[in-house]
Amino acid sequence: MNLTPMIDVVFLLVIFFMVGSKFDDGEEHLQVNVPGVGEMRSMARLPDERIVEFQSSGVLTLDGAAVTPEQLTGVLRSQHQNYPALKVAVRADDTIPYGQVAEVLQRVRASGVEQIGVATKRR
């Protein structure tokens, strides 16, 4: 089998690609002012809806972890700064007085979260 024509074609292709490509950086001499950007925020997907539970024993939890009312406001405030579209659902035992539930809702609102839901069930 004669390989000479195949070798000739390969050499011609190598020469063609070497002549067709540039070995210098063509953008180096361009004088372009790139625009700046504002404050960077996380590009990760939004966290799932946060769940605040107020149990009949008086324990307040955020996603299953016990927190004080002050900690609740602080954690939600920092998360709201990173994710402005943060959603919070508040679940409270039906034996808890309405005033205490309203206080928890006020703490969530004080953190800056605007999308607050109150969990209920059908009877």
Side-chain angles (χ1 to χ4, degrees):
M1 183 175 199
N2 190 3
L3 295 179
T4 305
M6 186 178 71
I7 293 172
D8 286 343
V9 170
V10 170
F11 280 133
L12 286 173
L13 287 174
V14 169
I15 292 170
F16 172 77
F17 285 117
M18 286 178 58
V19 170
S21 64
K22 287 182 151 184
F23 292 112
D24 66 333
D25 189 12
E27 297 177 5
E28 193 172 292
H29 66 278
L30 296 176
Q31 297 296 324
V32 177
N33 291 329
V34 179
V37 294
E39 180 183 342
M40 299 294 288
R41 292 194 183 256
S42 175
M43 291 182 66
R45 74 175 189 87
L46 290 175
D48 294 332
E49 183 177 58
R50 306 308 305 252
I51 308 278
V52 176
E53 292 181 332
F54 197 18
Q55 300 170 359
S56 60
S57 61
V59 176
L60 188 62
T61 63
L62 175 62
D63 293 332
V67 293
T68 65
E70 293 80 17
Q71 289 174 331
L72 174 70
T73 305
V75 169
L76 290 178
R77 180 176 290 129
S78 67
Q79 290 179 356
H80 175 67
Q81 288 173 351
N82 292 330
Y83 303 100
L86 183 68
K87 297 178 184 176
V88 175
V90 178
R91 296 179 184 168
D93 192 85
D94 62 353
T95 60
I96 296 175
Y98 179 73
Q100 292 177 353
V101 176
E103 183 180 330
V104 171
L105 289 170
Q106 181 60 33
R107 290 229 178 237
V108 173
R109 173 63 82 184
S111 69
V113 175
E114 297 174 2
Q115 298 184 29
I116 303 171
V118 179
T120 61
K121 67 178 181 179
R122 290 184 188 210
R123 292 188 181 226

